Amino acid sequence: GTVPGTYTVTYTATVNDQAVVTVDNAVVGTNATCATNCVTSTPVTAPAVSYSKSASTTGPVAVGETITYTLTTVVANSQTTSVTTLTDTLGTGLTFGAVTNAGAYTCNSTNPLVCTLPVGTVPGTYTVTYTATVNDQAVVTVDNAVVGTNATCATNCVTSTPVTAPAVSYSKSASTSGPVAVGDTITYTLTTTVVNAVT
């Protein structure tokens, strides 16, 4: 038999990535009565969700080039308790390409790009990668902005990539190299070429 006295058992438990709001713990005895605190409830730090954005190039870019954008979300403290939504809007001069990696997100495939991260997403880093092509409306810079719901912008949530200045060249040709006589008609052609961006 056990002699009269106080007996203690000490053990540890680690809070894992399934913790939400509180972590609870209960003890039940056999042939014993609970005196106090036989159920414990410890609050869990609320999730902190932040996001940022990066572009594959700092530019300058020209019409026809592709830029790859990466949205990075960091979930900290505990799993999410609400849906996280990122809405990424391509500005003038950019044509949406495709989502090349949605990861844990679910995304549409148009501009604006809307991606959602579900409730219960455990702490970690999550990325979405997609492409956009510089189109013939690009002037000076191509801009792109992402806003989040139930998340905070950490850094670079607006990107601005310089566009290569337009280069304009011209040339001239004649319909004949001669010799010509009085009364002959010569047709002249002036050709202008614009590259890189709109003038």
Side-chain angles (χ1 to χ4, degrees):
T2 303
V3 298
T6 302
Y7 300 90
T8 303
V9 173
T10 303
Y11 68 96
T12 62
T14 301
V15 179
N16 64 37
D17 62 10
Q18 299 305 302
V20 181
V21 185
T22 63
V23 285
D24 303 319
N25 184 323
V27 60
V28 177
T30 303
N31 300 321
T33 302
C34 177
T36 182
N37 295 333
C38 296
V39 176
T40 62
S41 184
T42 307
V44 173
T45 303
V49 183
S50 62
Y51 61 93
S52 60
K53 180 176 187 173
S54 63
S56 60
T57 180
T58 56
V61 291
V63 171
E65 289 187 34
T66 298
I67 302 172
T68 299
Y69 292 101
T70 301
L71 306 176
T72 302
T73 304
V74 176
V75 176
N77 300 334
S78 59
Q79 65 177 273
T80 59
T81 55
S82 56
V83 173
T84 301
T85 302
L86 298 181
T87 302
D88 194 317
T89 304
L90 298 173
T92 301
L94 290 171
T95 301
F96 179 80
V99 174
T100 56
N101 177 23
Y105 274 92
T106 300
C107 301
N108 66 356
S109 57
T110 59
N111 181 26
L113 180 67
V114 179
C115 297
T116 57
L117 194 61
V119 171
T121 300
V122 298
T125 301
Y126 302 90
T127 59
V128 172
T129 305
Y130 71 95
T131 59
T133 302
V134 180
N135 65 39
D136 62 8
Q137 299 304 303
V139 180
V140 185
T141 63
V142 285
D143 304 320
N144 182 324
V146 60
V147 294
T149 303
N150 299 319
T152 303
C153 175
T155 181
N156 295 334
C157 294
V158 176
T159 63
S160 185
T161 307
V163 174
T164 302
V168 182
S169 60
Y170 61 91
S171 61
K172 181 178 181 177
S173 63
S175 60
T176 181
S177 60
V180 291
V182 173
D184 287 349
T185 299
I186 304 172
T187 302
Y188 294 100
T189 303
L190 304 176
T191 303
T192 304
T193 303
V194 178
V195 295
N196 301 333
V198 63
T199 59

